[in-house]
Amino acid sequence: MGKPIYARLNDGSRALIVGNGYNSTSGKAALYIINLQTGALIRKFVVDNVTDSGMATPGTVDTDGDGLVDLVYAGDLKGNVWKFDLSSKTSSAWSQSKFFTAIGPDNNVQPITAQITSAVNYLNDDPNSGKRYIFFGTGSYFQAGDINDKSVQSWYGLIDTGTAISARTALTRRSISSTLTTADGKPARTFSKAATDATGKVTDMTNKQGWYLDWTFNNAKLGERVISPSVMYRLTEPTLLGSSITPEADDPCQPGGTGYVNAINAFTGGSLTKAFFTNQVSGDAIVD
């Protein structure tokens, strides 16, 4: 279900990096790095011995701007975020580590089927300036039971400082703060704001390892989930865009369900302070 990612490796060769997908014979999650010109397998990572899993499309990172891939992040069906270090010119020196496991408020593992993306915090006055973030949403929508699954899924922005994140307690919680209706009858909503001081500096991300947002409103389990990549844009403020879907448990042969295009601050997970959409909603039930 994923796609192969083209990359140049640190030995100068060109490669395709791809997750093994789902329903393999062993059911384990694996990452393949394949020589683009010859088709030869350069390296295969089988991340663990857990079955009934599979690896999603990987996201690649060039940490030093030389056009060569240094890090790879990928998620699996068991909610694990895997980090692969490909910075060496020698493939045998490459390594893997588990960076995070996504577990929701209902204590259920949150599957990751979307590609993980990354950006460095470029704001000089931010408490996490210069740190690398990785972004992804959780959820699955290809298995037989997915359409009726109401497990709480989440949106994450994690800070990679070189050590694993043990749990979501190390993260700042964000939430959906209100649901409104715009003038054209389409549903819209707002997100909670980041806490700031009198000068506007963010205060609730200090000593945190990132943020998370659960797809719930008024404690209702919506069945909302993310199955596509989140993208960060450097606009008037760092803007993270992500598409979320809520399937409808109806005739599988008929189209249905709803969805949102969500825009938040990439480095705080909070509401944007400047208008992004044409009909920007401020939270006072008035379309601005």
Side-chain angles (χ1 to χ4, degrees):
M1 290 183 61
K3 63 179 181 180
I5 302 300
Y6 167 79
R8 291 181 60 204
L9 304 177
N10 278 276
D11 65 356
S13 63
R14 290 161 169 78
L16 292 178
I17 304 177
V18 62
N20 70 321
Y22 313 107
N23 298 328
S24 66
T25 301
S26 69
K28 299 176 183 179
L31 185 80
Y32 291 87
I33 304 171
I34 302 166
N35 186 292
L36 179 62
Q37 294 171 294
T38 68
L41 180 65
I42 300 173
R43 184 76 186 267
K44 174 184 177 181
F45 290 93
V46 179
V47 292
D48 56 26
N49 289 317
V50 177
T51 58
D52 193 25
S53 187
M55 192 74 76
T57 299
T60 59
V61 175
D62 170 18
T63 60
D64 52 12
D66 61 359
L68 308 177
V69 64
D70 299 303
L71 297 175
V72 175
Y73 297 93
D76 66 23
L77 282 183
K78 301 304 180 182
N80 297 308
V81 175
W82 297 97
K83 177 181 176 180
F84 305 88
D85 186 342
L86 309 188
S87 59
S88 174
K89 293 182 179 181
T90 305
S91 61
S92 60
W94 295 344
S95 62
Q96 71 170 52
S97 59
K98 185 188 294 187
F99 179 66
F100 180 73
T101 300
I103 300 176
D106 45 13
N107 208 36
N108 288 325
V109 169
Q110 299 172 306
I112 303 170
T113 59
Q115 182 183 22
I116 295 174
T117 57
S118 178
V120 173
N121 188 332
Y122 57 86
L123 302 177
N124 293 329
D125 60 347
D126 190 273
N128 294 301
S129 178
K131 296 179 181 179
R132 178 167 299 283
Y133 280 67
I134 63 170
F135 307 109
F136 63 94
T138 67
S140 172
Y141 193 45
F142 72 94
Q143 302 175 99
D146 285 345
I147 197 168
N148 293 310
D149 185 5
K150 298 296 183 182
S151 300
V152 177
Q153 304 300 329
S154 306
W155 202 6
Y156 290 93
L158 307 180
I159 300 173
D160 185 0
T161 59
T163 58
I165 299 175
S166 59
R168 60 160 50 193
T169 52
L171 312 175
T172 297
R173 180 179 178 270
R174 304 298 183 202
S175 61
I176 301 171
S177 59
S178 63
T179 299
L180 308 173
T181 302
T182 66
D184 64 358
K186 298 296 190 298
R189 62 190 179 188
T190 58
F191 297 98
S192 59
K193 297 179 180 179
T196 57
D197 60 19
T199 65
K201 186 176 181 179
V202 174
T203 58
D204 60 0
M205 289 294 293
T206 302
N207 297 323
K208 294 293 185 178
Q209 293 180 280
W211 54 262
Y212 72 92
L213 186 152
D214 292 331
W215 297 117
T216 60
F217 181 67
N218 288 339
N219 296 320
K221 295 183 179 181
L222 309 176
E224 191 170 354
R225 66 203 72 181
V226 174
I227 58 172
S228 56
S230 302
V231 182
M232 198 281 285
Y233 290 95
R234 190 166 176 167
L235 306 176
T236 52
E237 56 189 310
T239 302
L240 187 68
L241 285 180
S243 172
S244 59
I245 64 169
T246 304
E248 289 182 358
D250 202 355
D251 184 350
C253 296
Q254 297 295 325
T258 58
Y260 285 92
V261 176
N262 307 279
I264 59 175
N265 185 295
F267 302 135
T268 69
S271 175
L272 295 172
T273 61
K274 297 177 176 63
F276 178 79
F277 297 107
T278 301
N279 290 332
Q280 182 77 3
V281 179
S282 61
D284 57 7
I286 299 173
V287 177
D288 301 321

